[in-house]
Amino acid sequence: MMFDGFEVQSRWDEAFRAAVVGGLSRAQKSIPCCWLYDERGSELFNEITRLEEYYPTRAETEILLRWADEMAGFCGEDILLVEYGAGAGIKTEILIEALDKPRLYVPIDIAGDVLAQTASRMRDRFPDLETLPIVADFNRDFDLPAGLPPGWRTAFFPGSTIGNLNRSETVAFLSRLHRHVEGRGMAIIGVDLKKDLGTLLSAYDDGAGVTAAFNLNLLARINRELDGDFPLDRFVHQARWNESESAVEMHLVSLDTRVVSACGRQFAFHEGETIHTESSRKYALDSFRSLAEKSAWRLSRAWLDDEDRFAVLGLEASP
Ligand code: AVJ
């Protein structure tokens, strides 16, 4: 079925409204992290990746630059590279540059406009590589189109975006990747590693306040798009460690007891109450290995940066 732009937009608005109404009605208020990334949110996230405190992007890029040839050998020749999320740009270019005669590049993203930009950038950069963009929400179940060219497939998921998923979501996601590579390919996945809390927490609460602005932008978005009246100066950003989830969480803390309206409804906050806006899981290699094995993958390679902060993992599908 096809939707015109207007219909797509109104479904999107409807989904945001449902996420906010549902999320603010829970005992622990929470809004899924995908809603942080409107235009302004994406700009702020780009700024985050350049912060001194935010090491993951730099560490992962360093790993790719150093080990791309080995990764390419791991993937094999004539492969189809399937990328989940199309924003990774430079990291993808590093890998593709190293690959031996890649046959097809398949970027997948929910945002059609971002995807189109990625596809045209990659066609310019790699004119001999066929690019087949696919609009899909990779957190939900979907199949790759039938009739792709033959060849082994590698699923590529950089950025430690997998850290946003909880255990069961991670297993479901990895199982989907296993199906997408037809049970016999590879996956290359960027994973942030567990480390001292000081380093972890300052990566999510930087001195310049960019992460705070990124988090608070969600309330500005609710005010603008869902007729909300959150007072932006009476909510503050907080990064905290959740030991049982092994995750850094972002919250928005209400400084007062108050009632806020949005979507034509009212939501009560008590002083200090929070909205949970994102979890970013940090793994030990063994804990990731066991999730991979639950979804029929074998962890065969781990490429780390100099300071062992971040890992790019090479998984092989077990039949
Ligand atoms: C894009 C999900 C990988 O969790 O590190 C950065 C998002 N949030 N700072 C992460 C994020 C706050 C980022 N991911």
Side-chain angles (χ1 to χ4, degrees):
M1 186 153 27
M2 294 287 287
F3 300 108
D4 63 30
F6 177 73
E7 258 178 327
V8 170
Q9 188 56 41
S10 67
R11 283 171 172 249
W12 198 247
D13 293 347
E14 212 30 67
F16 184 36
R17 175 183 305 275
V20 169
V21 170
L24 295 183
S25 305
R26 278 198 264 285
Q28 168 63 68
K29 293 177 169 64
S30 73
I31 296 174
C33 61
C34 60
W35 301 108
L36 291 165
Y37 298 88
D38 61 353
E39 202 178 328
R40 179 74 185 133
S42 303
E43 259 170 43
L44 286 164
F45 176 67
N46 272 329
E47 223 177 292
I48 287 172
T49 64
R50 294 191 294 268
L51 293 169
E52 185 56 36
E53 294 97 328
Y54 192 76
Y55 60 86
T57 309
R58 247 175 295 119
E60 188 178 39
T61 305
E62 172 194 322
I63 296 166
L64 285 161
L65 284 169
R66 180 162 318 160
W67 300 106
D69 287 340
E70 229 187 270
M71 291 175 193
F74 175 74
C75 297
E77 48 182 55
D78 302 313
I79 65 152
L80 283 58
L81 186 71
V82 184
E83 180 172 10
Y84 298 79
I90 183 75
K91 297 178 204 166
T92 312
E93 291 182 23
I94 297 167
L95 180 62
I96 292 180
E97 176 76 41
L99 287 174
D100 189 4
K101 299 184 261 93
R103 189 163 281 169
L104 178 67
Y105 170 57
V106 183
I108 300 169
D109 204 279
I110 192 165
D113 47 344
V114 178
L115 192 63
Q117 280 169 25
T118 300
S120 86
R121 200 184 65 239
M122 295 308 248
R123 285 175 181 132
D124 288 347
R125 177 83 172 73
F126 303 102
D128 296 334
L129 175 64
E130 196 188 331
T131 294
L132 178 72
I134 293 179
V135 178
D137 178 355
F138 59 73
N139 284 315
R140 292 178 189 228
D141 207 35
F142 71 101
D143 288 313
L144 294 180
L148 295 181
W152 284 46
R153 302 178 182 179
T154 291
F156 184 46
F157 194 38
S160 76
T161 311
I162 201 163
N164 284 155
L165 307 181
N166 66 27
R167 286 177 62 85
S168 64
E169 290 164 342
T170 303
V171 171
F173 178 78
L174 291 173
S175 303
R176 186 170 315 131
L177 263 50
H178 191 274
R179 210 178 66 232
H180 288 176
V181 302
E182 304 180 300
R184 56 160 207 181
M186 313 296 182
I188 294 187
I189 298 182
V191 167
D192 195 16
L193 299 175
K194 222 170 158 171
K195 60 183 64 64
D196 71 278
L197 290 191
T199 304
L200 281 176
L201 290 176
S202 55
Y204 292 85
D205 193 6
D206 60 281
V210 181
T211 309
F214 172 65
N215 199 4
L216 282 158
N217 176 58
L218 180 61
L219 299 184
R221 182 178 184 186
I222 294 172
N223 286 352
R224 193 174 56 242
E225 295 180 21
L226 300 176
D227 196 23
D229 64 356
F230 279 95
L232 301 183
D233 56 345
R234 301 307 297 163
F235 282 81
V236 293
H237 167 68
Q238 183 184 61
R240 54 164 101 146
W241 177 249
N242 182 330
E243 177 64 32
S244 62
E245 294 286 322
S246 191
V248 176
E249 294 180 351
M250 293 205 311
H251 289 256
L252 290 160
V253 186
S254 173
L255 295 176
D256 315 292
T257 295
R258 72 166 63 248
V259 175
V260 174
S261 57
C263 313
R265 308 201 187 198
Q266 309 227 296
F267 302 97
F269 287 80
H270 59 75
E271 183 186 333
E273 185 174 353
T274 73
I275 308 171
H276 175 200
T277 52
E278 184 175 52
S279 288
S280 203
R281 276 161 195 80
K282 308 302 168 187
Y283 284 101
L285 287 184
D286 280 335
S287 56
F288 195 87
R289 175 183 288 114
S290 75
L291 290 187
E293 285 171 359
K294 280 196 176 60
S295 35
W297 289 96
R298 198 166 63 242
L299 174 57
S300 350
R301 307 286 175 88
W303 294 282
L304 272 61
D305 65 299
D306 265 346
E307 297 172 53
D308 292 355
R309 293 172 299 183
F310 197 95
V312 177
L313 303 177
L315 310 185
E316 256 178 279
S318 329

